[in-house]
Amino acid sequence: MQKKIVIVGAGVAGINAATKLVDNGYPGELITIIDKGNDPHNRLPEEVMTGMLGAGGWSDGKLTYHTAIGGQLAKYCGEDKAMELMDQVISNFRRFHPKPEEIFCSDPVAEPDFIKPYFGLRLFPVWHIGSNYLHEIAKAWYQYLVDKGVKFEWNTEVTEIDFETGEVILKRLIFILK
């Protein structure tokens, strides 16, 4: 029996989870993504924390590529699997990018030597997606998921989840523009 799935947050992790599910044959009609921000057609450039692709895929077009920063993924699935999942994220950005050949990964070893000793920086590989393409990527990716049947609830905040009953408590957000 296939169950309904609710994904809280339309950030990079949530969108990739839904994409992986539908790419592997899970019915999109059983997936709902809830986000307190806007869809990619109505998301303003200054709305960097919520909405389609969240903060990770909307701000400056760079994705840090290492398990040592930005979360606990390797703790739950191991280093190799975590890096494999990160590769899938980059593949999806490339897949929905209008010019995928422009995506590149920086080499931290190649960073200027004058930066390293003075600031004590730990440098990690960074994928440069291109901030000027994020809006197009978000719209293409969103359309793909909608075409697969995934439902979205925008401007909606999850306030509580009852895992016993499966009930998700929502709060609609109202924006008043002056």
Side-chain angles (χ1 to χ4, degrees), residues 7 32 34 43 51-52 61 68 77 81 107 121 142 155 157 163:
I7 297 172
T32 300
I34 303 169
R43 188 172 178 188
M52 182 71 179
C77 65
K81 183 64 176 179
D107 177 6
L121 298 175
Y142 175 64
N155 299 307
E157 185 176 333
F163 290 98

Side-chain angles (χ1 to χ4, degrees), residues 145-157:
L145 291 172
V146 168
D147 289 347
K148 291 289 188 175
V150 175
K151 295 178 280 303
F152 286 84
E153 293 290 332
W154 298 108
N155 299 307
T156 304
E157 185 176 333

Side-chain angles (χ1 to χ4, degrees), residues 44-176:
L44 301 174
E46 62 270 16
E47 295 174 335
V48 297
M49 297 306 291
T50 61
M52 182 71 179
L53 293 182
W58 195 257
S59 55
D60 68 352
K62 295 180 188 82
L63 298 174
T64 305
Y65 186 73
H66 201 279
T67 60
I69 55 175
Q72 304 277 329
L73 186 59
K75 176 181 170 182
Y76 297 105
C77 65
E79 187 75 24
D80 291 341
K81 183 64 176 179
M83 292 305 289
E84 178 187 324
L85 292 169
M86 288 181 178
D87 286 339
Q88 291 173 17
V89 169
I90 301 305
S91 293
N92 279 328
F93 269 92
R94 187 174 275 118
R95 174 180 173 185
F96 296 105
H97 198 294
K99 294 184 178 178
E101 68 280 0
E102 291 187 14
I103 295 175
F104 69 95
C105 187
S106 66
D107 177 6
V109 174
E111 293 296 328
D113 286 334
F114 74 87
I115 294 176
K116 299 171 194 172
Y118 298 108
F119 299 108
L121 298 175
R122 289 180 63 199
L123 301 174
F124 297 97
V126 174
W127 281 95
H128 298 261
I129 307 299
S131 57
N132 50 328
Y133 294 111
L134 294 174
H135 199 92
E136 292 176 66
I137 293 167
K139 289 192 292 187
W141 205 335
Y142 175 64
Q143 192 59 54
Y144 172 78
L145 291 172
V146 168
D147 289 347
K148 291 289 188 175
V150 175
K151 295 178 280 303
F152 286 84
E153 293 290 332
W154 298 108
N155 299 307
T156 304
E157 185 176 333
V158 174
T159 58
E160 187 178 337
I161 300 172
D162 185 333
F163 290 98
E164 297 287 322
T165 65
E167 185 178 44
V168 179
I169 312 298
L170 305 175
K171 174 180 148 185
R172 292 271 181 215
L173 305 174
I174 299 171
F175 298 99
I176 299 173

